[in-house]
Structures are given as structure tokens and as C-alpha cells.
Amino acid sequence: MGDAVATMSLIRWRRVLLSLAFALAFGPVVAAPDTQPGFHHAIVQLDGDGHGLLVAEVPVRAGEPIVMQFPKAKQRPACCNRMVAADFVLVRDGSVLATDVIGGQELFVYRFQAPPGWASEPFVGIAAVGVARKTRNAGRQLESVDASGVVHRSSLCVSQEGVHLKRTVGSKARSHLYLSLGYAVAAPTCP
């Protein structure tokens, strides 16, 4: 029991230190409030064997619509596959390191079963969670127009050890999510 508590404590401290490091590296950023709080973009990771991981800013409700990128030729993201959140399992054991770089708030990490044929090899992309009028790829970004008509844009890049999702609402920074991959990346894409 004592080892488990010590391990959880170390994981929490690592998250705090990681958040502080990102805040220092990327400078001060003030998050703009969402006009539709239930709608957001999330990181989605597919393992190629039908298992998925969703990293979200807010809890995902059962029955909530999810629109996500999927791999196209040469691992380029295509838009979009649709599903409804069902049988999503919240991960609370510290096995996944994910951080909200801007606010330092706890993120919601879910495991799910991906529909057959969604990804035959590992893939990381962006998902739109909640009701949107329209979601599409716009260059290297995922762009959604929420039910209020507000535009959300997210970009994804890979650093030396993890994935970064940066989302703007209108023209203001809203979120910067980080998911550790747990290994060194051979060809990072973050500036």
C-alpha cells in the first residue's frame, strides 16, 4: 500500500513539474472562456488493434457525439469518422501521463474500443467532442463550428516525448493539452 501511495505521489508531482516546465517554456497564456463549455477538442490515440485513448478537458458523457480524424495514406490525418461515446472507461490509475499546460487542471483520459477498420496501425489525431454544426480538416488543423456558431481550431504536433494539442476559440488560446508517449520520438514536429 505504501509503495502505491508513493508512486501516485511521484506521478502527481511529475505532472505538476511538467505543467510548470511547459508554462515557463511557452510563456504566460491566458485561456479564453468557451462559449459552449461542453464542446471541445481532444487528443485521440489509436493503437492499430482496435483500442483507443481519448484525452479530454472535461468529462465525456455517454451518448455524446465524437467526430475524429483517422489515418490516411502516409499517416496523414483525414476527416472524419463519427461515433457516439459508449463504454468509455475513465483511466484513474496514473498509467497515462497527460497535462493541461495552460491551466494545470486534471484531464479526463478514457480507454475505448474503436470500431473495426478505423486504424490498422498506430495513429494520433484530434477529436471533436460534443455537438457541432460542422467539423473538417483545414490544412493541418481540425476546425469545428460549435452549435453557437463559434469556430474552434486545433493543431497537433509531436515533441521529443509526447503529443501537444493547441486549441483556439475564435482568435484566443483556449487549451494546450499534452500526452506523454512514454518513449523518445525519432522525428518531432513541434516548432
Side-chain angles (χ1 to χ4, degrees):
M1 178 79 173
D3 289 339
V5 171
T7 301
M8 289 304 294
S9 181
L10 288 173
I11 290 171
R12 287 195 177 114
W13 272 108
R14 183 174 176 202
R15 287 181 182 162
V16 168
L17 292 174
L18 188 60
S19 294
L20 289 172
F22 281 119
L24 291 172
F26 294 107
V29 178
V30 176
D34 275 335
T35 56
Q36 185 183 352
F39 181 83
H40 62 282
H41 285 172
I43 299 171
V44 64
Q45 180 182 33
L46 302 174
D47 70 358
D49 290 326
H51 305 103
L53 193 69
L54 185 84
V55 179
E57 296 173 63
V58 297
V60 175
R61 298 181 314 269
E64 198 161 23
I66 298 174
V67 178
M68 66 179 71
Q69 294 176 322
F70 63 94
K72 202 169 142 177
K74 298 182 182 177
Q75 288 293 320
R76 304 280 300 179
C79 185
C80 282
N81 282 334
R82 289 168 168 62
M83 69 183 296
V84 173
D87 300 322
F88 276 42
V89 177
L90 185 61
V91 178
R92 290 270 187 206
D93 61 7
S95 62
V96 177
L97 178 60
T99 303
D100 171 2
V101 176
I102 291 178
Q105 298 170 339
E106 178 181 7
L107 297 179
F108 298 86
V109 179
Y110 297 90
R111 292 190 195 285
F112 66 94
Q113 187 68 38
W118 272 28
S120 58
E121 52 189 71
F123 173 76
V124 178
I126 305 170
V129 181
V131 177
R133 292 182 186 174
K134 179 174 146 183
T135 296
R136 68 183 183 95
N137 276 351
R140 295 190 164 269
Q141 296 182 331
L142 186 70
E143 179 180 273
S144 299
V145 179
D146 70 21
S148 301
V150 176
V151 177
H152 299 247
R153 288 186 184 89
S154 288
S155 61
L156 197 71
C157 69
V158 181
S159 63
Q160 292 191 0
E161 292 182 359
V163 177
H164 297 263
L165 179 143
K166 295 179 183 177
R167 177 171 68 107
T168 59
V169 176
S171 62
K172 298 195 182 205
R174 173 61 187 107
S175 57
H176 179 168
L177 309 182
Y178 171 79
L179 170 65
S180 172
L181 294 173
Y183 55 86
V185 174
T189 59
C190 291

